[in-house]
Amino acid sequence: DTEVTQTPKHLVMGMTNKKSLKCEQHMGHRAMYWYKQKAKKPPELMFVYSYEKLSINESVPSRFSPECPNSSLLNLHLHALQPEDSALYLCASSQEDNTEAFFGQGTRLTVV
Amino acid sequence: KQEVTQIPAALSVPEGENLVLNCSFTDSAIYNLQWFRQDPGKGLTSLLLIQSSQREQTSGRLNASLDKSSGRSTLYIAASQPGDSATYLCAVGVYGNKLVFGAGTILRVKS
């Protein structure tokens, strides 16, 4: 099983809302990632968790707040987003650092 | 700063053709290189991973090569099929457990 599951698949939220994106993997991977992909652009790294600890924050605005409750789950909490934050948010995992990465199907986020 | 370039940006071929997608990177200090496929509005599907110490990987009709010293990788697709139509992304694994992506090649295989 090489599946990374993301929920929800689509999300529309207002600029004053609070919402969360969820990601789950059961491959025993110890590294998990959030990427953001704008239309017709490549994915860009946001956060890396390694062994449930935040190891990289690519200078992401504080309106995005990641959380790793356990080794299988990764959340991205959203608050006071802007319309320009509308994008496909991709979760990925890998067994350890710098090994093959597996991506989920993404959450299509629209901020209105 | 690592930069990844993919050529061509788009490619349209008739079914059955063999084709090559190119990827180049500016800094040879990489841990690995990974090729992905992305269908419109969907996530990324891993196709092949080449570790920095390897030269080549094969999976079915796909073959990827890596020349780390020259900063180049190619993805060879044999006997292309309409179902191969997608965007193909190349990404290099760099220090800090990061993947740096190229902009992708949009492939269309015509039946």
Side-chain angles (χ1 to χ4, degrees), chain B residues 41-52:
Chain B
K42 303 293 186 182
L44 278 63
T45 300
S46 178
L47 298 174
L48 289 165
L49 171 76
I50 311 178
Q51 297 292 352
S52 61

Side-chain angles (χ1 to χ4, degrees), chain A residues 33 37 42 56 97-98 100-101, chain B residues 32 34 38 46 96-98 102:
Chain A
Y33 316 79
Q37 187 177 26
I56 293 179
D97 292 356
N98 301 115
E100 186 175 8
Chain B
N32 54 48
Q34 200 164 349
Q38 186 172 32
S46 178
N97 213 8
K98 303 180 186 183

